Amino acid sequence: MAVTESQVVDALRGVLDPELGASIVDLGMVKRVEVDGPAVSVAVALTVAGCPMRDEIDHRVRSALAGVPGVGRVEVHQEVMSPEELAEVRSKVQGAPPQAWSAPARGHRLGHEEGRANPFAVASSPTRVVGVSSGKGGVGKSTVAVNLAVALARGGRSVGLLDADVYGFSVPAMLGVSARPQMADGKVVPPEAFGVKVMSMGFFVGEDQPVIWRGPMLHKALEQFLVDVDWAAPDFLLVDMPPGTGDVALSMAQYLPVSEVYVVTTPQLAARRVAQRSAYMAKKLNLPLRGVIENMSWFTAPDGSRQEIFGSGGGAQLARDLAVPLLGQIPLAPALREGADLGVPAVAADPASEVAAAFQAIAEAVAAQRPTRSKPEELRSR
Ligand SMILES: Nc1ncnc2c1ncn2[C@@H]1O[C@H](COP(=O)(O)OP(=O)(O)O)[C@@H](O)[C@H]1O
Ligand SMILES: [Mg+2]
């Protein structure tokens, strides 16, 4: 079976640049691929001459190609990128963390460098990390995270909000924040809106730009969102969790070993699968499930009557299935969507409204929960 060029390129797609953490194909580092029978020759352009990673790249390319059936002799030619090519790579990883973040110390590990400890992973952290999660998309997870954060802040707590839904970030728009965060004293200063300090991938990527990063880069970005951001030890750090148990969710769980998880659901019954997914997620991530929040519970008509548009009982059933409390129900309110679109959360726009009162009550219920604390030995082993 003859080896084809596209097989070679596909195999190389899985090769990550050791420093940028992205595919050498996506980064445009693969300059030529020649196939002659079983012999394959690949030209890889390095970002700098005398790149200390050249042996590593050579090794990664060879091991990737060794896995392609029919490949015999492999030649790897290393070249150096022209300034134009380098600019191209920069634009590809653009949307990447700010300049000061782009050259992380090699071989560093979370919390192992002076001044780069993860403040949320230490047993003495005063912060309750509250993950807002859902078993499926579109249930209002971000809406709940944002309004809950603002409600907690209005109740006098210091609050941070981390948008960990990196591929589907929506927090900046919901809070009307678009400014790129500034650096001060080597730390990133999170923008503040409605009393909430915010960090999101959205600050570094254009609204309509896809996030092209692969696992390792995302992992690194999330780490930096925790470690290099000046959160100032808030009472609460709310996390708009990504859906499911993908890479990002796992990274978050690893970095935030003491987070509590709250699941947002809708009133529809037949939510068993959602319950199973949520329970599975928490178990896989080794995080405690602490409560259920039902969203879109009813619509209050102008005549004051309640219409249960999406049915009823889903939140209570999920809470029963997961053996956690149902912390509250949030009505369907056009003001909630309008607020999200305008960048003014409903809780702040109209604190006297029914929906704001619902969030305020849930915020108090969350605050009244007994905080979860991991044992110090668990923390040390991370
Ligand atoms: N209780 C509600 N009443 C009215 N609109 C809502 C409500 N909850 C969410 N929405 C709207 O539904 C859409 C999806 O909500 P969002 O928070 O983005 O969901 P998720 O983060 O789970 O994908 C948004 O347009 C949001 O404004
Ligand atoms: Mg969302």
Side-chain angles (χ1 to χ4, degrees):
M1 197 175 60
V3 184
T4 64
E5 211 182 289
S6 72
Q7 278 176 303
V8 171
V9 173
D10 279 346
L12 294 175
R13 224 177 271 289
V15 175
L16 303 184
D17 177 274
E19 290 185 289
L20 298 173
S23 159
I24 60 171
V25 172
D26 294 347
L27 290 171
M29 291 169 64
V30 175
K31 290 295 153 201
R32 273 188 320 279
V33 170
E34 280 155 26
V35 177
D36 184 9
V40 175
S41 157
V42 176
V44 179
L46 305 174
T47 47
V48 284
C51 172
M53 291 289 161
R54 54 189 309 152
D55 291 346
E56 177 61 25
I57 292 174
D58 186 278
H59 170 74
R60 289 185 185 196
V61 166
R62 286 176 192 278
S63 6
L65 294 181
V68 180
V71 168
R73 192 164 54 89
V74 172
E75 270 178 48
V76 182
H77 302 278
Q78 298 195 334
E79 303 171 357
V80 176
M81 286 188 176
S82 66
E84 293 75 34
E85 287 169 331
L86 203 53
E88 178 84 1
V89 168
R90 287 231 176 81
S91 78
K92 283 199 175 115
V93 291
Q94 174 216 62
Q99 287 308 308
W101 286 3
S102 57
R106 201 163 295 127
H108 97 269
R109 282 199 294 129
L110 176 68
H112 287 246
E113 269 169 84
E114 197 97 37
R116 285 195 90 247
N118 174 0
F120 302 106
V122 295
S124 60
S125 166
T127 304
R128 274 179 63 191
V129 180
V130 169
V132 180
S133 185
S134 68
K136 60 173 183 169
V139 300
K141 178 170 60 70
S142 302
T143 304
V144 170
V146 163
N147 282 280
L148 207 51
V150 174
L152 282 164
R154 290 178 60 87
R157 283 100 179 177
S158 52
V159 184
L161 173 57
L162 171 57
D163 184 357
D165 195 348
V166 282
Y167 292 108
F169 58 83
S170 56
V171 167
M174 286 180 169
L175 284 169
V177 188
S178 57
R180 210 180 154 97
Q182 300 296 307
M183 300 284 299
D185 295 333
K187 287 259 183 192
V188 177
V189 182
E192 199 169 319
F194 307 97
V196 175
K197 292 191 160 77
V198 199
M199 191 45 61
S200 171
M201 191 65 93
F203 295 146
F204 307 105
V205 185
E207 181 90 19
D208 38 12
Q209 220 178 332
V211 174
I212 58 159
W213 300 356
R214 286 170 186 250
M217 261 171 112
L218 281 177
H219 193 77
K220 170 132 244 94
L222 288 171
E223 180 196 327
Q224 289 170 323
F225 282 176
L226 295 168
V227 173
D228 293 339
V229 171
D230 188 9
W231 290 107
D235 297 326
F236 290 91
L237 178 70
L238 270 74
V239 185
D240 186 0
M241 293 288 284
T245 46
D247 267 9
V248 178
L250 285 165
S251 295
M252 287 316 292
Q254 186 188 338
Y255 291 137
L256 296 169
V258 289
S259 24
E260 311 164 25
V261 176
Y262 295 83
V263 180
V264 180
T265 193
T266 55
Q268 266 124 320
L269 285 169
R272 271 265 139 75
R273 296 229 318 283
V274 175
Q276 280 164 354
R277 262 200 298 273
S278 309
Y280 171 76
M281 181 260 319
K283 187 157 178 257
K284 184 156 175 204
L285 305 181
N286 196 20
L287 296 176
L289 271 175
R290 299 301 301 279
V292 168
I293 297 166
E294 189 184 82
N295 186 27
M296 311 191 184
S297 300
W298 59 77
F299 174 70
T300 302
D303 67 4
S305 66
R306 279 188 181 182
Q307 295 164 13
E308 293 176 328
I309 293 173
F310 291 122
S312 69
Q317 189 199 50
L318 180 60
R320 255 194 323 276
D321 289 350
L322 297 174
V324 296
L326 172 63
L327 292 180
Q329 294 173 292
I330 300 152
L332 258 175
L336 212 45
R337 187 197 46 75
E338 287 157 15
D341 293 347
L342 287 171
V344 183
V347 164
D350 187 2
S353 61
E354 180 193 20
V355 73
F359 277 112
Q360 215 68 59
I362 294 168
E364 291 315 314
V366 168
Q369 294 258 82
R370 256 187 344 124
T372 309
R373 281 272 162 240
S374 289
K375 294 188 214 82
E377 23 331 339
E378 280 173 41
L379 289 175
R380 268 203 300 275
S381 67
R382 302 261 171 175

